[in-house]
């Protein structure tokens, strides 16, 4: 590689880092994810997304308008062959506080889920419960997860196709028992950018051999569908995500979300300006003189 190529690669890498940092900073600001004095427990799985999240949070911490702490936490689920030395060594190289939490969820999942069935649902519930309780134990006020925009949009379609529900993963979530708050600082970031960023930063990626090896997961089918859409019409995934931030309850069909039952008309209200010319009736069999309570304006 020539010196010119090196300069170009460095320029592109810096540009990508700034873009990701800006998107994370905007998401944090838009949803008030991190506040003065917060202790943020960054859940690090060993995948590209959580590595990038930790990287950017540590970068933002140096210049953020509020003071907050970041503690890296990895949940070692005791998957066979999991390289236990990689993450402690990586955290030590960053000189940051960290915990490795041992929880044999692997054995539980293998015991409860029949061979060939999807393990992700049970695995995620066990992982979430462990992280929630550990956050309380160490005094963490926020739990940061590495989900990005593509994850959120995929979840939206998974819930629609297989759960008949219009919901996704919010950038900020309070647990059902109100005891924890989950934040997703990468919500505005695209996966393709994170993949490139991970290559540049050379993170010590650890694949998930428990869930990731299940190639026929419905999420992978949804991902392929969205990638095809996005390749055919660039920006489609971004637009779908933006629709989650621009919801019109009256244009949906949830009677618990909008009162469709009680919708009286009120013609005393000022008339909206309609975008059409005055109509002309060419034929009718109605004698308008017989119509009562009709006001012509």
């Amino acid at each position: 590689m020539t010196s010119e190529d090196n300069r170009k690669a460095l320029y592109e890498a810096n540009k990508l880092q700034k873009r990701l940092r800006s998107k994370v900073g905007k998401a944090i600001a838009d949803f008030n994810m991190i506040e003065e004095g917060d202790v943020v427990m960054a859940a690090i799985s060993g995948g590209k997304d959580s590595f990038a999240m930790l990287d950017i949070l540590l970068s933002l911490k140096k210049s953020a308008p509020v003071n907050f702490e970041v503690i890296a936490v990895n949940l070692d689920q005791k998957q066979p062959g999991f390289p236990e030395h990689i993450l402690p060594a990586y955290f030590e190289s960053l000189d940051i506080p960290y915990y490795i939490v041992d929880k044999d969820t692997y054995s539980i999942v293998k015991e409860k889920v029949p061979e060939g069935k999807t393990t992700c649902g049970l695995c995620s519930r066990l992982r979430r419960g462990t992280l929630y309780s550990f956050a309380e134990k160490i005094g963490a006020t926020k739990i940061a997860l590495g989900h990005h925009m593509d994850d959120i949009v995929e979840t939206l379609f998974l819930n629609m196709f297989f759960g008949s529900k219009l919901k996704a993963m919010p950038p900020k979530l309070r647990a059902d028992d109100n005891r924890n708050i989950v934040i997703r600082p990468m919500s505005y970031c695209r996966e393709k950018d994170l993949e490139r960023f991970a290559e540049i930063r050379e993170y010590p990626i650890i694949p998930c051999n428990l869930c990731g090896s299940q190639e026929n997961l419905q999420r992978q089918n949804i991902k392929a569908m969205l990638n095809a859409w996005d390749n055919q019409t660039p920006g489609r995934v971004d637009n779908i995500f933006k629709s989650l931030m621009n919801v019109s309850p009256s244009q949906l069909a949830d009677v618990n979300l909008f009162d469709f039952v009680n919708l009286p008309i009120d013609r005393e209200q000022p008339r909206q300006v309609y975008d059409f010319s005055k109509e002309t009736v060419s034929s009718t069999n109605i004698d308008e003189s017989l119509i009562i309570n009709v006001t012509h304006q």
Side-chain angles (χ1 to χ4, degrees):
M1 183 179 288
T2 66
S3 59
E4 178 64 25
D5 290 335
N6 283 330
R7 283 195 296 270
K8 184 176 180 180
L10 181 60
Y11 170 78
E12 292 299 329
N14 289 335
K15 184 178 177 182
L16 175 60
Q17 182 179 26
K18 289 179 180 178
R19 182 165 72 250
L20 289 173
R21 193 176 185 274
S22 174
K23 288 180 179 293
V24 172
K26 179 169 173 50
I28 290 174
D30 286 351
F31 293 91
N32 193 30
M33 291 184 183
I34 299 177
E35 302 169 84
E36 179 69 31
D38 266 341
V39 177
V40 179
M41 188 180 91
I44 310 302
S45 65
K48 67 181 188 311
D49 307 323
S50 59
F51 273 128
M53 178 186 70
L54 178 63
D55 196 338
I56 296 172
L57 284 178
L58 293 175
S59 174
L60 289 172
K61 181 177 180 294
K62 298 175 182 178
S63 58
V66 296
N67 296 307
F68 66 95
E69 299 299 323
V70 178
I71 300 176
V73 173
N74 168 252
L75 176 59
D76 184 347
Q77 299 177 263
K78 298 305 174 184
Q79 299 176 27
F82 185 83
E84 298 179 355
H85 64 286
I86 290 181
L87 288 174
Y90 181 74
F91 296 147
E92 293 284 356
S93 72
L94 296 178
D95 192 27
I96 61 170
Y98 73 91
Y99 290 97
I100 304 295
V101 180
D102 295 334
K103 184 77 170 181
D104 188 2
T105 62
Y106 177 83
S107 296
I108 299 174
V109 169
K110 298 303 287 183
E111 176 186 349
K112 300 290 186 182
V113 180
E115 189 68 30
K117 296 294 183 179
T118 300
T119 60
C120 291
L122 177 58
C123 181
S124 64
R125 288 194 297 273
L126 294 171
R127 185 169 62 247
R128 181 168 59 246
T130 302
L131 292 175
Y132 280 4
S133 60
F134 192 71
E136 292 190 48
K137 183 176 180 179
I138 65 175
T141 54
K142 303 287 173 59
I143 302 171
L145 304 180
H147 298 122
H148 45 69
M149 184 186 294
D150 296 71
D151 288 326
I152 294 172
V153 173
E154 288 163 15
T155 301
L156 170 69
F157 281 92
L158 281 169
N159 283 320
M160 284 196 296
F161 290 173
F162 304 105
S164 300
K165 293 182 179 179
L166 191 61
K167 70 174 187 176
M169 295 187 295
K172 185 177 182 181
L173 171 72
R174 185 171 61 183
D176 292 340
D177 61 6
N178 298 335
R179 297 177 67 91
N180 284 287
I181 290 181
V182 171
I183 59 174
R184 295 182 171 95
M186 316 290 283
S187 292
Y188 291 171
C189 300
R190 291 299 309 272
E191 184 173 24
K192 57 189 176 184
D193 287 338
L194 295 174
E195 288 173 346
R196 177 59 184 147
F197 191 59
E199 291 175 359
I200 294 170
R201 303 293 278 185
E202 298 182 336
Y203 297 131
I205 304 297
I206 303 174
C208 176
N209 293 321
L210 177 59
C211 300
S213 61
Q214 296 175 280
E215 297 180 359
N216 293 323
L217 292 178
Q218 295 296 347
R219 181 174 289 274
Q220 297 304 317
N221 296 332
I222 296 293
K223 182 186 291 290
M225 178 190 76
L226 292 173
N227 285 339
W229 285 358
D230 214 31
N231 290 333
Q232 183 179 10
T233 310
R236 179 165 290 185
V237 170
D238 297 80
N239 286 339
I240 294 171
F241 178 80
K242 290 175 184 177
S243 73
L244 296 175
M245 305 172 67
N246 189 22
V247 178
S248 299
S250 65
Q251 305 303 304
L252 299 176
D254 189 337
V255 296
N256 296 311
L257 194 63
F258 185 82
D259 187 3
F260 292 98
V261 176
N262 301 296
L263 286 179
I265 62 173
D266 182 0
R267 288 184 172 159
E268 297 301 319
Q269 296 294 322
R271 175 178 288 170
Q272 181 178 339
V273 178
Y274 299 123
D275 189 18
F276 70 94
S277 301
K278 184 176 178 60
E279 76 284 349
T280 300
V281 177
S282 62
S283 178
T284 182
N285 65 351
I286 304 296
D287 182 353
E288 292 194 4
S289 67
L290 301 178
I291 301 176
I292 62 174
N293 295 327
V294 174
T295 303
H296 297 281
Q297 298 181 2

